[in-house]
């Protein structure tokens, strides 16, 4: 939702000839060691003697370092707004969370499944097994900055988006989960 809103604001500014704020959207995977990252969770679970909890054995995610995330944001800022397009880092191949858990156990000098148990806890509602940084339908364009691409997802103009956002906000305030 936030991405769509920023795109709509940038399109309004770009097409209307206004001299206001430009909005640059950057999309990337999980930042290793950041708040909410699985790595600190696994480290804590290891320090406590286990078990390490994995939602699903086939779950995969894209990962990047803090440095890579900062560089991407800085490169996107330097490249400037692209009329609602989204900067995407070429993140290579996704990593199986189970492989990450097993590797972290090994790096601690322990054996997965023997010294530290791995519990499969199940996928949470709305959680996907495979992370999608961009859809196959998003046209990817090279930017000239190595590893930084532009995605051109479907966009919606601000006058069309605003009523939909109002509906979402109203439903959230009423506690309507199905809206």
């Amino acid at each position: 939702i936030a991405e769509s809103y920023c795109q709509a604001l940038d399109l309004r500014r770009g097409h209307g000839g206004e001299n206001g704020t430009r909005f640059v959207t950057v999309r990337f995977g999980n930042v290793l060691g950041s708040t909410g990252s699985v790595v600190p969770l696994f480290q804590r679970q290891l320090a406590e003697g286990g078990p390490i909890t994995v939602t699903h054995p086939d779950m995969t995610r894209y990962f990047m370092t803090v440095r890579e995330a900062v560089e991407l944001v800085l490169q996107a800022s330097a490249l400037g707004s692209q009329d609602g397009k989204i900067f995407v880092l070429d993140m290579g191949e996704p990593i199986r969370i189970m492989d990450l858990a097993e590797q972290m156990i090994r790096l601690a000098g322990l054996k997965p499944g023997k010294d530290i148990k791995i519990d499969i806890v199940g996928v949470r509602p709305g959680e996907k097994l495979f992370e999608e940084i961009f859809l196959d339908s998003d046209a990817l364009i090279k930017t000239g900055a190595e590893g930084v691409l532009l995605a051109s997802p479907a966009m919606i103009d601000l006058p069309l988006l605003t009523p939909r956002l109002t509906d979402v906000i109203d439903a959230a305030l009423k506690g309507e989960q199905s809206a």
Side-chain angles (χ1 to χ4, degrees):
I1 293 174
E3 189 174 278
S4 294
Y5 187 62
C6 286
Q7 286 176 300
L9 289 172
D10 194 54
L11 283 173
R12 179 184 69 179
R13 187 226 177 257
H15 293 297
E18 299 175 28
N19 291 323
T21 303
R22 295 305 314 238
F23 295 86
V24 177
T25 306
V26 182
R27 191 188 295 170
F28 48 82
N30 299 282
V31 178
L32 289 169
S34 66
T35 302
S37 171
V38 72
V39 173
L41 171 65
F42 286 175
Q43 288 172 326
R44 189 181 80 244
Q45 291 173 339
L46 268 170
E48 294 170 355
I52 286 187
T53 56
V54 173
T55 55
H56 191 283
D58 296 324
M59 177 83 59
T60 62
R61 291 291 180 264
Y62 290 95
F63 288 96
M64 64 190 315
T65 64
V66 171
R67 179 183 173 145
E68 289 171 322
V70 169
E71 285 177 0
L72 174 61
V73 170
L74 291 175
Q75 285 179 336
S77 296
L79 291 168
S81 175
Q82 301 289 323
D83 291 328
K85 292 181 178 69
I86 298 168
F87 290 98
V88 180
L89 179 65
D90 179 359
M91 299 197 58
E93 296 299 314
I95 296 171
R96 283 183 66 234
I97 301 301
M98 179 65 86
D99 293 343
L100 178 63
E102 291 171 346
Q103 184 65 15
M104 288 184 68
I105 293 169
R106 283 190 212 92
L107 288 171
L110 303 167
K111 294 181 182 173
K114 183 175 180 185
D115 299 320
I116 299 288
K117 183 180 173 190
I118 298 177
D119 285 344
I120 306 298
V121 296
V123 179
R124 294 176 291 242
E127 190 173 25
K128 296 179 180 182
L129 287 181
F130 307 99
E131 187 173 47
E132 298 169 318
I133 300 298
F134 55 88
L135 301 175
D136 290 337
S137 61
D138 292 345
L140 293 179
I141 305 163
K142 292 185 179 186
T143 62
E146 188 172 332
V148 180
L149 306 168
L150 273 177
S152 298
M155 295 179 244
I156 184 169
D157 288 328
L158 192 58
L160 296 172
L161 181 61
T162 301
R164 293 179 182 174
L165 289 176
T166 302
D167 292 344
V168 170
I169 291 167
D170 290 344
L173 291 172
K174 294 176 186 171
E176 297 175 11
Q177 295 182 5
S178 62

